[in-house]
Amino acid sequence: MLLQNEIAIITGGASERGIGRGIATLFVEQGARVAILDLDGETARDLADSFGKEHRGYPCNVTNRDEVEAAISSAVQDMGSPSILVNNAGITQPKRIAEITMEDYDAVLDVNLKGTFLCSKTVIPHMRNAKKGNIICISSVSAKRGGGIFGGPHYSAAKAGIIGLTRAMARELAPEGIRVNAVAPGLIDTDITKGKLTPELKAEIIESIPMKRIGLPIDVARACLFFASELSSYVTGEIMDVNGGMHID
Ligand code: NAD
């Protein structure tokens, strides 16, 4: 098992068919104890209970500093110091630039970018004390190729911001034994599109993917496992594409 004795905090893990749940499930299979933080605290708790009593779920809005600090402090008290953080919570909106209101902009930037910043900032002191840690951020192919799949320009900007934040944190924290990496998924079959991805658009996208299929949460989870484990012991500041060849750079 690759994550024996590790304690992993995973944000946005409650969604039934989501990437966060896929990551939590794989991490538990690999021996980690997981804390799931989500807006939907009840489902996060139920999911943790289904994994076993050593796992926990907490309600948390990643955009709210008090809630992030409270949830992470509860996780530390209940489980011990986290050695892994996966910044997975995110939202998207299929809007063109002219349609994006300031509320839309704030919502998308806050959950994706500010949430990643706040959760990292709160977890880092614990990792510093232990001189060990792994932070994994979830960007998107939209950051690299300028959208064009589902999310609007504000989503591309937030996910590109996550790449900059990942690289800067990686450089700053490497001397302290903390590695920071990111995964940039292509289109993954989850409910983030809230039914707005039409079968026609889906078919069009599949046609443009060299591997001729949409990704699954487990595809992203396996990349996160690589970064969370010693398999990537000399890797930091890396952004890994998980997109079936949709974008290659
Ligand atoms: P999802 O909608 O299935 O799950 C997102 C989860 O985040 C939900 O459980 C939701 O409750 C939670 N969440 C939303 N706002 C939150 C907040 N403010 N605080 C705490 N939790 C919050 O989405 P998904 O497809 O599993 O996406 C997971 C991550 O992967 C996101 O960052 C997303 O941007 C990214 N991503 C997804 C795709 C894709 O095609 N599905 C592609 C690239 C990147």
Side-chain angles (χ1 to χ4, degrees):
M1 288 205 278
L2 292 168
L3 300 180
Q4 201 87 58
N5 301 320
E6 306 289 350
I7 297 173
I9 293 181
I10 300 164
T11 68
S15 173
E16 203 181 323
R17 296 187 332 109
I19 292 170
R21 185 177 288 235
I23 297 167
T25 306
L26 183 63
F27 280 19
V28 169
E29 281 168 20
Q30 290 295 325
R33 283 189 289 145
V34 299
I36 296 153
L37 274 50
D38 203 289
L39 269 185
D40 181 353
E42 206 178 307
T43 307
R45 254 188 228 114
D46 289 347
L47 177 63
D49 287 348
S50 76
F51 290 144
K53 62 178 179 1
E54 64 275 35
H55 309 281
R56 297 291 161 95
Y58 305 94
C60 176
N61 180 347
V62 296
T63 70
N64 181 301
R65 193 171 91 177
D66 291 343
E67 290 192 30
V68 168
E69 288 178 352
I72 290 175
S73 147
S74 300
V76 171
Q77 241 173 18
D78 297 342
M79 305 173 71
S81 185
S83 51
I84 299 166
L85 167 68
V86 185
N87 286 307
N88 166 77
I91 58 167
T92 189
Q93 295 170 343
K95 295 201 172 187
R96 297 168 87 84
I97 191 82
E99 301 156 4
I100 299 169
T101 64
M102 285 324 294
E103 287 73 29
D104 294 335
Y105 178 87
D106 286 344
V108 169
L109 268 287
D110 280 359
V111 181
N112 289 287
L113 186 54
K114 185 176 168 188
T116 297
F117 169 77
L118 268 181
C119 293
S120 303
K121 190 171 157 59
T122 309
V123 160
I124 285 165
H126 300 286
M127 295 181 168
R128 273 201 170 119
N129 282 341
K131 295 193 171 23
K132 169 187 144 117
N134 262 306
I135 299 176
I136 298 140
C137 304
I138 306 295
S139 178
S140 167
V141 70
S142 301
K144 291 190 165 191
R145 53 168 254 173
I149 298 167
F150 185 82
H154 51 342
Y155 181 72
S156 293
K159 293 302 195 184
I162 288 175
I163 293 178
L165 181 61
T166 298
R167 289 178 168 156
M169 289 197 295
R171 186 178 295 278
E172 182 180 326
L173 299 170
E176 299 181 78
I178 302 168
R179 296 191 289 112
V180 189
N181 292 287
V183 179
L187 186 63
I188 308 297
D189 188 15
T190 72
D191 296 323
I192 198 170
T193 49
K194 300 199 186 322
K196 286 188 188 150
L197 185 66
T198 61
E200 295 74 31
L201 183 55
K202 209 168 173 176
E204 214 177 284
I205 294 171
I206 291 175
E207 200 39 53
S208 74
I209 302 172
M211 287 181 72
K212 301 293 174 211
R213 71 168 175 90
I214 290 185
L216 300 170
I218 185 70
D219 294 315
V220 180
R222 288 179 180 140
C224 293
L225 175 62
F226 171 72
F227 284 138
S229 72
E230 285 304 294
L231 290 178
S232 59
S233 51
Y234 198 48
V235 182
T236 197
E238 178 61 22
I239 316 300
M240 190 195 286
D241 288 329
V242 177
N243 62 29
M246 172 197 266
H247 175 82
I248 299 176
D249 68 1

